[in-house]
Amino acid sequence: TPGSWNKIQITDTNPKFYTSTPDQKDGAGDYTTQIYCLCSSAAPGREGALFAGTNLNGGIYQTVDGEIWKEAFTTGEDRIHALCEFKSRLYAGTSSQGKVFAYDGIQWNTVGSLSEVAVTCLGVFKKRLYAGTYPSGLIFSTPDGLNWEEMSGTGQTFVQCFQEFNGAFYAGTSSPKGVKIIRTVNGRDWLTVYESSRELNLYCMEVFENALYAGTGNSGRILKTQDGNNWNTAYAGDSEGVRAFTMYNDYLYAGTENKGTLLRSTFDMARMPVIQELAVEKLSSSSALLTWTTDISATSEVHYAEKRFSPDLRKVITDKGMELRHRIHLTDLKAETEYEFKVISAYRSSSLAV
């Protein structure tokens, strides 16, 4: 039911860092097994799977049904900090030797050693894979997943997250002095667009409702910008940190520290597509092709019926693919019969254009 959660155990093994005492409760202690990241991925010609990166000897686990998990690969590293799909391969950023591994659907291989202790985040921008590191806060990039180039130093300790927004690429960084959000349009030249000593971590970023949101640590604020330059506080509660964002059913959700509170936006994502250039093409005695365009990617749907039965328009053809150019074929028409129709395109369930 909505709001209900099932607990699924991936493994009962403890990592090499685990320490316990005889009077300790189950699951307590320093460095118990933790899941650092999740990513769904499907290699060409293979079934999609959900992957989990852990601190269990750098282990990566996978499942195809969400219930039964198996070990996919052990890197021999300390932790898997980040998972990211790039050019049909799944990449993993690790510590404590700053290695990057890649999975092509058959085997895992080492594809990078970035001269840092940890690869803390991965992201994709303009057909390149980017990696953020610790403790020097460096940003690396590769066009092919093999040949890595240092693109920039941030002057920070951590690069914690990446996010594309309005044609630019943003990086959330942190150090004991505070956080910075930096931005680039070419991957090499970075500009500071936000800086604060109030927070010590900037964990995550997400695009929602034509704005960029950032989740912070220590203050637990959610920051927001619509132009990438002017930032304000969208939320300030009693949580110590906002660790993760995701969108579900048109709402933005945020996972927090301490009490494990889940936040949800009070408004949904209702960006409305604009339908243009509607036309009837290739008209015959039994078929017609309806075409139109939208200003943003959206679904395609046609409701139609014989004119004498309208406004019911009970017949429906739907294509859920997100497209800018839309084409729907009507193939069951009667000759010398008038029809009425309407077309619908949706960006999300709450944003329909008719």
Side-chain angles (χ1 to χ4, degrees), residues 93-302:
T94 72
S95 66
S96 293
Q97 298 184 60
K99 292 183 179 180
V100 180
F101 294 82
Y103 176 59
D104 61 5
I106 299 175
Q107 63 183 6
W108 289 85
N109 294 296
T110 305
V111 294
S113 185
L114 303 186
S115 70
E116 284 275 271
V117 170
V119 176
T120 47
C121 62
L122 297 168
V124 177
F125 179 63
K126 291 187 175 180
K127 299 181 180 180
R128 295 180 69 97
L129 177 64
Y130 286 79
T133 69
Y134 166 89
S136 301
L138 304 179
I139 296 175
F140 294 82
S141 177
T142 175
D144 56 13
L146 293 171
N147 299 291
W148 292 85
E149 177 185 4
E150 183 179 328
M151 304 298 286
S152 179
T154 65
Q156 297 282 81
T157 305
F158 272 101
V159 181
Q160 294 184 286
C161 56
F162 290 120
Q163 182 64 53
E164 184 175 356
F165 175 63
N166 284 350
F169 198 45
Y170 292 75
T173 71
S174 65
S175 76
K177 295 181 180 180
V179 301
K180 289 183 182 180
I181 300 175
I182 58 177
R183 178 181 68 206
T184 184
V185 294
N186 60 16
R188 189 175 298 277
D189 302 310
W190 295 78
L191 172 71
T192 299
V193 294
Y194 177 81
E195 187 172 2
S196 172
S197 59
R198 181 175 174 180
E199 290 88 18
L200 297 181
N201 285 287
L202 204 148
Y203 291 120
C204 54
M205 289 187 286
E206 183 62 90
V207 178
F208 177 72
E209 188 64 11
N210 303 319
L212 177 61
Y213 290 80
T216 68
N218 302 93
S219 72
R221 290 194 300 161
I222 297 177
L223 307 174
K224 174 185 177 182
T225 181
Q226 291 182 305
D227 60 8
N229 296 311
N230 300 293
W231 295 78
N232 56 67
T233 301
Y235 174 83
D238 57 359
S239 298
E240 184 174 327
V242 176
R243 284 276 185 169
F245 288 125
T246 194
M247 285 187 292
Y248 180 68
N249 277 355
D250 301 346
Y251 289 89
L252 180 63
Y253 287 78
T256 71
E257 293 179 333
N258 294 352
K259 298 178 181 178
T261 303
L262 191 66
L263 306 175
R264 191 185 78 170
S265 61
T266 56
F267 55 95
D268 64 3
M269 191 170 185
R271 186 175 178 186
M272 189 81 69
V274 177
I275 294 176
Q276 299 171 317
E277 301 176 10
L278 177 61
V280 179
E281 303 177 4
K282 298 182 180 180
L283 184 63
S284 72
S285 61
S286 60
S287 65
L289 173 64
L290 303 183
T291 65
W292 68 96
T293 63
T294 50
D295 63 327
I296 59 175
S297 297
T299 59
S300 310
E301 187 173 307
V302 174

Side-chain angles (χ1 to χ4, degrees), residues 58-71:
I60 300 172
Y61 291 77
Q62 73 177 77
T63 179
V64 294
D65 63 4
E67 298 284 342
I68 301 174
W69 291 78
K70 65 178 182 179
E71 187 177 62

